[in-house]
Amino acid sequence: MTTIKGPGAAQTHDGSGLRVAIVHARWNTVIIDQLVAGAKKNLLAAGVLEENITVQTVPGSYELPLAVQRLYAASQLQANSSAQGISATDLLSSPTAEVTGSANAASPKKPFDAIIAIGVLIKGATMHFEYIADAVSHGLMRVQLDSGVPVIFGLLTVLTEEQGLERAGLGNSGMHNHGEDWGSAAVELGLKRRD
Ligand SMILES: O=Nc1c(NC[C@H](O)[C@H](O)[C@H](O)CO)[nH]c(=O)[nH]c1=O
């Protein structure tokens, strides 16, 4: 059966000069971890250097918009900072987030070219799911438009755990890992920003 749905061929060229962040929630980590791995896989495959990939985590998806906004603002500050040796870790430290990966003083002094926000919302018995999904999607769009940095929408809003597993490439249907699409989109948008 011909697959119609999907992003089509990735338009990623040489990502070696890009600086990309992944900000992910820690709810539903079995699915999250696979999505993050998929995003990183396609970032690296497009030539983004490991040291130019910063990973930050937040408790849940509701915290994603603020974390993305703060991380990008900190990277801008870092880029503009003088030789006072203000380290990225100082700038990126945040009470809501745990910074892993290469966010350290050695990070390149440039703002992020794209940020991938990853979360998994699984519908429960209440309206909590709808309110978080609505707030986070509007929040991420606002951060993107206000800041000008491409924010790749990696929020899965699924009705069952199985739907989430499927979209992380962990199901039985052979569905691909959607995180890979987000990695490719980050490279494409990051490069386009420079055109
Ligand atoms: O409730 N379900 C979920 C959830 N709730 C926590 C919320 O995002 C936030 O962290 C807290 O409300 C505290 O602000 N966060 C998710 O990422 N996925 C869920 O499925």
Side-chain angles (χ1 to χ4, degrees), residues 37-153:
K40 280 188 79 172
K41 174 187 159 195
N42 275 31
L43 288 174
L44 295 170
V48 179
L49 305 179
E50 179 90 40
E51 60 264 27
N52 290 340
I53 300 173
T54 296
V55 179
Q56 185 181 86
T57 78
V58 291
S61 296
Y62 191 79
E63 282 77 47
L64 287 171
L66 177 60
V68 169
Q69 183 188 58
R70 286 172 56 91
L71 186 61
Y72 183 65
S75 74
Q76 283 183 306
L77 207 55
Q78 178 196 38
N80 301 332
S81 69
S82 63
Q84 288 149 10
I86 302 172
S87 79
T89 306
D90 294 339
L91 290 172
L92 298 181
S93 61
S94 152
T96 61
E98 154 201 330
V99 179
T100 56
S102 59
N104 53 42
S107 294
K109 294 245 182 287
K110 62 191 284 285
F112 289 109
D113 296 291
I115 300 181
I116 306 170
I118 296 179
V120 176
L121 286 171
I122 302 176
K123 173 71 179 160
T126 69
M127 290 289 290
H128 197 213
F129 168 91
E130 285 83 353
Y131 286 104
I132 298 177
D134 186 63
V136 175
S137 47
H138 288 290
L140 292 174
M141 179 58 79
R142 185 156 69 84
V143 168
Q144 171 170 246
L145 296 176
D146 290 353
S147 65
V149 65
V151 176
I152 306 307
F153 187 70

Side-chain angles (χ1 to χ4, degrees), residues 7-13 15 18 20 43 46 48 113-114 150 152 181-195:
Q11 297 182 16
T12 54
H13 315 296
L18 294 180
V20 179
L43 288 174
V48 179
D113 296 291
I152 306 307
D181 303 336
W182 305 335
S184 299
V187 173
E188 181 179 339
L189 273 293
L191 290 171
K192 281 192 165 120
R193 212 166 163 238
R194 298 173 158 207
D195 290 349

